[in-house]
Amino acid sequence: MPISRRALTAVAVALVLPLSACGSGGGDGGTSDASGKVEGDITFQTWNLRANFKDYFEDLIAAFEEKYPDTHVTWIDQPAEGYADKISADAGGGTLPDVVNVSPDLVAPLARAGLALDLDKAAARYRKEYLPGAWAGHQVPGTTGTYAFPWYLNTGPLFYNKALFEKAGLDPEKPPRTYDELFADALEMAEKSGGEVATLANVPTIEDFGRYGVPLMNEQGTAFTFNDPKGVELLTKYKQLYDAKALDPQALTATGESAGKKFLTGAVAMNPGSALDLGNFKKNAPGLYRNIGITDQITSTGHVNMYVMGLMVNSRTRHTPAAVAFAHFVTDARNQMVFAKRVAIFPSTAGSLDDPYFTKEDGTDETRVRVAAAKSLKNAVNYTPVLFSEQMKTALRNEVAKALQGKKSPKEALDNAVTAADRLLRQS
């Protein structure tokens, strides 16, 4: 997947995959036994990575083929646009590559269709090499197993404008660390600024409900549950912020880019981001840059949100040992560390985040954010349910907007969002 300037956002789609779909290895000749000789020709598909990382992947493949002389890897890179549709078409047509770059939401329908190899059975010996939260990122509710090697991770802190905090009479060195503190500070800032300065610029998403401690889905993976009393409580608090202009009035239609611009101009006091944003602040908003504060994501669970990418092995491949060995090779500690030093992502392997690259500051802004994010990733989780599709996200966003506008109560809005999501789930 393309590495965005703020985070690795998942592209979701409801894929209907026939259970009889054949893999690229040639139909029913596949096996889940990964213990045999590593040999054969395999295909490896990435998600819009060739343009920026061609040399890295060519060197990686060459190193693998040198280690296993009886293998040959053909690298395919697909564009970002239409990637989910491409996977769906390949799965249905029997041309799914042997190793596929996926996000959790993309692996879910493949796993349910029997097209993703269960690594808990085929590659359980590697599990201890990865962070527990990352390994769990490609598990699917209602099934047993793990369906992709965790690859690169990302997360980000919250940036805040110290000057705006001070102007509102808030301690700029003590940003909110709990939801109660966040809501209290936001209301005070809106009051002190006469509604001119909002603290937040985005409506709550499914990840926000997760961070608040709302149960998102039942254990069977058959129904969503974010309309429970705690979910209603969160949306009610956002309604209070919206009414007080502590939530930006344009939040209902905001994108990550538009929210970032609001923060850049001083109209919003807090915004999520990444190390890449600091360079933008320094260049385009030096006043903000001089007053920038960095704090952790707000969470009631003790776990921040992570974005995770993975490598899935096609269960129908003819060369399971080679496909598993390659997916593990790409995602092992050494190769992930090399990749992480070329771009602002984080390795999913256990112990890697203890490397000085992720623990020691050198006085630069980029390092400040990298160290903070790496620390939080050690016990981070992917809050977005793997079965929560793009259509479901839209349904939730629409209902949240109606609640904030007062057209529906928070309870009614979330009940409707859950009903819509459950209907889409049954159709997938």
Side-chain angles (χ1 to χ4, degrees):
M1 182 180 179
I3 299 169
S4 71
R5 59 182 290 270
R6 290 179 51 205
L8 309 179
T9 54
V11 175
V13 69
L15 306 176
V16 182
L17 304 175
L19 287 171
S20 61
C22 302
S24 63
D28 298 326
T31 172
S32 63
D33 184 6
S35 62
K37 184 178 179 181
V38 177
E39 61 182 358
D41 294 352
I42 59 172
T43 50
F44 165 49
Q45 179 170 289
T46 52
W47 190 346
N48 198 32
L49 294 175
R50 185 184 295 272
N52 294 320
F53 306 108
K54 181 174 180 289
D55 292 344
Y56 171 79
F57 285 105
E58 288 180 344
D59 290 345
L60 191 68
I61 290 168
F64 178 79
E65 291 175 344
E66 182 178 359
K67 183 176 181 179
Y68 299 103
D70 294 327
T71 64
H72 176 74
V73 179
T74 299
W75 177 28
I76 306 165
D77 187 66
Q78 298 291 352
E81 185 175 357
Y83 187 73
D85 292 334
K86 174 63 176 171
I87 288 179
S88 179
D90 285 345
T95 56
L96 196 67
D98 299 285
V99 179
V100 186
N101 181 184
V102 292
S103 55
D105 54 298
L106 292 184
V107 85
L110 297 169
R112 296 172 85 179
L115 297 177
L117 187 67
D118 180 1
L119 300 181
D120 285 340
K121 293 179 179 178
R125 63 190 181 277
Y126 298 129
R127 179 172 185 161
K128 64 182 182 297
E129 296 180 20
Y130 301 89
L131 295 169
W135 185 266
H138 293 89
Q139 295 171 354
V140 181
T143 67
T144 57
T146 299
Y147 295 98
F149 282 99
W151 194 6
Y152 52 87
L153 312 175
N154 217 331
T155 190
L158 274 174
F159 291 120
Y160 68 99
N161 188 323
K162 290 184 177 182
L164 293 179
F165 270 67
E166 189 169 14
K167 189 174 181 180
L170 300 170
D171 189 340
E173 301 305 323
K174 293 183 179 179
R177 297 187 179 279
T178 67
Y179 277 100
D180 285 344
E181 291 176 355
L182 173 64
F183 296 139
D185 286 357
L187 290 172
E188 186 167 352
M189 185 169 295
E191 182 181 357
K192 292 290 179 62
S193 68
E196 292 298 317
V197 178
T199 296
L200 302 174
N202 292 291
V203 299
T205 62
I206 195 69
E207 294 91 347
D208 293 302
F209 284 92
R211 276 193 294 258
Y212 195 66
V214 179
L216 304 178
M217 196 172 198
N218 65 15
E219 292 183 2
Q220 296 76 31
T222 57
F224 291 97
T225 58
F226 53 84
N227 59 335
D228 90 325
K230 199 166 185 63
V232 174
E233 178 183 279
L234 178 65
L235 186 51
T236 300
K237 289 182 180 295
Y238 265 86
K239 167 63 172 165
Q240 294 169 353
L241 297 185
Y242 185 76
D243 289 344
K245 296 187 178 179
L247 176 64
D248 187 75
Q250 296 179 18
L252 302 184
T253 57
T255 63
E257 183 178 359
S258 66
K261 288 181 179 178
K262 289 272 188 177
F263 183 67
L264 205 67
T265 60
V268 171
M270 301 190 78
N271 202 55
S274 73
L276 300 180
D277 289 302
L278 287 171
N280 182 40
F281 301 155
K282 190 172 185 178
K283 178 181 179 181
N284 297 315
L288 170 63
Y289 179 75
R290 286 192 297 270
N291 289 286
I292 201 71
I294 302 173
T295 190
D296 295 333
Q297 293 178 26
I298 307 293
T299 174
S300 296
T301 66
H303 304 281
V304 304
N305 185 59
M306 73 161 66
Y307 299 90
V308 56
M309 277 290 146
L311 289 185
M312 185 204 83
V313 175
N314 182 355
S315 66
R316 307 298 175 86
T317 177
R318 282 187 178 274
H319 304 291
T320 302
V324 169
F326 182 73
H328 173 252
F329 185 79
V330 174
T331 62
D332 70 18
R334 179 185 177 279
N335 287 315
Q336 286 209 53
M337 181 61 75
V338 173
F339 197 35
K341 290 184 177 181
R342 295 188 59 163
V343 65
I345 52 91
F346 299 86
S348 61
T349 40
S352 295
L353 297 176
D354 294 323
D355 186 276
Y357 183 72
F358 296 112
T359 60
K360 293 189 176 181
E361 295 192 24
D362 59 8
T364 65
D365 296 320
E366 182 178 355
T367 302
R368 284 174 64 198
V369 178
R370 183 170 67 234
V371 170
K375 183 178 180 181
S376 69
L377 272 172
K378 289 184 179 181
N379 68 346
V381 297
N382 175 27
Y383 283 111
T384 306
V386 298
L387 300 175
F388 202 67
S389 71
E390 196 67 30
Q391 290 173 292
M392 296 172 191
K393 292 177 186 177
T394 299
L396 174 59
R397 187 178 183 89
N398 289 342
E399 292 298 328
V400 164
K402 292 174 183 176
L404 296 180
Q405 292 171 319
K407 295 179 179 179
K408 293 181 180 178
S409 71
K411 179 69 167 66
E412 183 183 7
L414 290 181
D415 284 347
N416 289 344
V418 164
T419 297
D422 286 347
R423 183 178 63 252
L424 289 165
L425 182 65
R426 291 190 295 269
Q427 294 172 357
S428 66

